[in-house]
Amino acid sequence: MISGGKLSQETRNRILDKGLEVVSKSGLEGLSLGPLAELSGMSKSGLFAHFGSKEEIQISILDHTVEFSKSKVLEPALRSKEGLPRLRSLVKHWMGWSKKAGLPGGCPIAAGLFELDDSKGPVRQKLLSMESEWRSLLKKFTKESVDLGELRSDLDLDQFVWELCGIYLVHHTSLRFLKDPKADYRANRSFEDLLERSKPTRKRKK
């Protein structure tokens, strides 16, 4: 619970914007409240007065990440035609989205999956919930393509999403850690291969 009175929306957004930049570069565990307070133009005690704990700030930054990324990833996809055009658009904007959005580092959510894989507590639970919701959205868009006959009717949706998430994570590490200049090309090729394997089998003409 946030204590010590309410922050103005402008002040809260400023703190969360700076927090998102820090977490993008240093990860959730690398978030230091002293530097964040300084970047936000607040005292450390003032930051604590409004958020109560480091965990609460981390969770707020994760929520902010979702809202920040919507206009970069989800909203452009929703403007595309339902089915494969929408799924393609979503994947196109999702791959490397943090760099395209101007963040100084990588995706805080992807990094958090590795940072907190052996941890317990509310921040890990928040990440788990967010990842589950995202995979459900990917599954929904994929099913729409199946329902429209663009992908096989017997397609294993969970397997498709599993492979798609694998492509995203390999792309993220290749782009951010390995600095592979072919990361975008390989991710796009893998996605196209996945789609090709998932399309209905064409019947040969007699």
Side-chain angles (χ1 to χ4, degrees):
M1 182 181 293
I2 296 174
S3 57
K6 291 184 178 179
L7 287 170
S8 70
Q9 193 60 47
E10 182 181 354
T11 301
R12 182 180 178 84
N13 286 341
R14 184 174 71 248
I15 293 169
L16 295 178
D17 283 343
K18 294 299 181 182
L20 177 54
E21 290 178 9
V22 172
V23 170
S24 174
K25 290 182 67 176
S26 304
L28 289 163
E29 293 299 287
L31 180 68
S32 299
L33 300 189
L36 176 58
E38 187 175 344
L39 286 170
S40 306
M42 298 184 68
S43 66
K44 186 175 178 180
S45 59
L47 200 64
F48 261 116
H50 290 293
F51 285 95
S53 69
K54 181 177 178 178
E55 284 184 341
E56 197 166 327
I57 296 175
Q58 289 171 321
I59 289 172
S60 295
I61 290 172
L62 287 173
D63 281 330
H64 191 62
T65 302
V66 172
E67 292 305 312
F68 178 80
S69 66
K70 276 182 180 178
S71 64
K72 319 295 181 182
V73 181
L74 181 58
E75 290 175 9
L78 292 175
R79 290 194 289 269
S80 297
K81 184 180 177 182
E82 187 177 299
L84 276 185
R86 183 170 294 175
L87 181 60
R88 284 182 182 278
S89 178
L90 184 74
V91 172
K92 174 186 174 182
H93 290 91
W94 179 35
M95 296 290 165
W97 76 268
S98 57
K99 182 180 179 181
K100 298 171 190 174
L103 290 179
C107 172
I109 299 171
L113 299 180
F114 293 98
E115 276 188 281
L116 304 180
D117 56 352
D118 293 320
S119 301
K120 293 181 180 180
V123 180
R124 185 186 188 282
Q125 286 302 119
K126 179 66 177 180
L127 269 173
L128 182 60
S129 174
M130 291 168 66
E131 182 67 8
S132 296
E133 288 178 13
W134 178 250
R135 293 191 183 206
S136 293
L137 180 66
L138 293 175
K139 186 174 180 179
K140 176 178 180 292
F141 281 13
T142 305
K143 188 176 185 304
E144 288 174 355
S145 299
V146 171
D147 292 341
L148 288 169
E150 297 167 323
L151 297 178
R152 292 198 321 267
S153 59
D154 63 344
L155 183 67
D156 185 332
L157 297 177
D158 291 322
Q159 181 66 25
F160 184 95
V161 170
W162 194 93
E163 292 186 43
L164 188 51
C165 289
I167 294 171
Y168 176 79
L169 290 175
V170 172
H171 176 260
H172 186 271
T173 55
S174 296
L175 193 67
R176 298 295 310 161
F177 186 78
L178 299 176
K179 310 296 182 185
D180 183 355
K182 291 188 175 181
D184 290 341
Y185 164 77
R186 296 195 186 284
N188 290 333
R189 179 177 171 180
S190 296
F191 177 54
E192 290 302 323
D193 286 348
L194 176 60
L195 286 180
E196 195 61 33
R197 287 188 282 111
S198 303
K199 289 180 180 178
T201 303
R202 292 182 180 179
K203 293 182 179 180
R204 292 183 180 180
K205 293 182 179 180
K206 295 182 180 180

